[in-house]
Amino acid sequence: MGLQSFEHGLERMVEGVFTRGSRSAIRPVELGRRLLREMDDHRSVDVKGRRIVPNIFSINLSPKDHAGFADIDEALTLELGETAREYARAEGYNFMGAVTVEMVIDNALKPGRFAIVSRMRDTGGGLGAGSLVLSSGERITLSKQIITIGRLPDCTIPVPDANVSRRHAEIRPAGAAYVLVDLGSTNGSKVNGARIQREHVLRDGDIVSVGITHLRFEAS
């Protein structure tokens, strides 16, 4: 997709929605652009050949600018996190753990100036309360229970689609992660557009597809 074309979409998403609520001289879209460049500048390749990018972002602001974003802080950091996930999907990047964006006061910075510090960190270690986001926006919290997906109405996520098997797939806890398991379905299960063989460890931002239904996995 490319950074430049993605930035145009970012401007449409962020500008106008958050600018009205900001009392800072810094435009929210500037934060988004710098965050995406931070991902590009610090990408690396792991032993499996995957392109890994930072998943923890600290936006350092002057006390005045930090206060100026106070009314929209939570909504803006959530939107920036989602923007990072979308950019990673578009560019084929992978995260080591959940994406986190936070705004931090830096007394050394002058108003109108900011810096973004990023790092790669595995946020696993214990089973986290991940979630599945449905196309309707509904969110299903994951825990130690197995989530079933299929055409049967008693599935956790019932999917009334002829291309989906009666019991199509499950999402199971596995140590510190969650695993998508295809239950021998006729048409298979996909993650980020690629059909899985039997099971696949889910990472933050993965898109799970069964039939024409798409679910976004988010690690907490």
Side-chain angles (χ1 to χ4, degrees), residues 38-191:
E38 189 74 11
M39 293 169 65
D40 283 340
D41 291 344
H42 293 86
R43 63 180 182 264
S44 62
V45 178
D46 69 3
V47 293
K48 296 181 180 179
R50 298 177 304 177
R51 295 195 293 174
I52 306 297
V53 292
N55 59 303
I56 308 294
F57 302 92
S58 296
I59 302 175
N60 295 346
L61 300 161
S62 70
K64 182 178 180 180
D65 287 318
H66 189 274
F69 283 118
D71 291 344
I72 60 170
D73 183 313
E74 183 176 357
L76 180 56
T77 53
L78 286 173
E79 183 67 30
L80 291 173
E82 181 57 26
T83 296
R85 294 186 187 96
E86 290 184 12
Y87 188 57
R89 287 193 289 270
E91 296 298 307
Y93 293 157
N94 293 272
F95 298 113
M96 291 180 63
V99 175
T100 301
V101 181
E102 62 178 353
M103 295 191 180
V104 180
I105 294 176
D106 185 339
N107 290 310
L109 287 174
K110 296 180 180 179
R113 303 294 296 272
F114 69 94
I116 295 183
V117 178
S118 65
R119 57 192 183 279
M120 302 179 190
R121 190 176 73 194
D122 186 347
T123 53
L127 183 63
S131 62
L132 290 172
V133 183
L134 310 187
S135 57
S136 63
E138 179 185 355
R139 189 179 297 270
I140 296 177
T141 299
L142 304 177
S143 57
K144 295 181 179 180
Q145 281 70 42
I146 293 176
I147 299 295
T148 56
I149 306 170
R151 209 169 65 244
L152 291 177
D154 64 348
C155 288
T156 312
I157 303 176
V159 181
D161 180 348
N163 294 313
V164 174
S165 299
R166 290 156 59 85
R167 292 195 181 277
H168 193 104
E170 292 179 345
I171 294 179
R172 304 172 182 171
Y178 290 96
V179 176
L180 172 69
V181 180
D182 185 83
L183 300 176
S185 66
T186 302
N187 295 309
S189 304
K190 296 180 179 179
V191 175

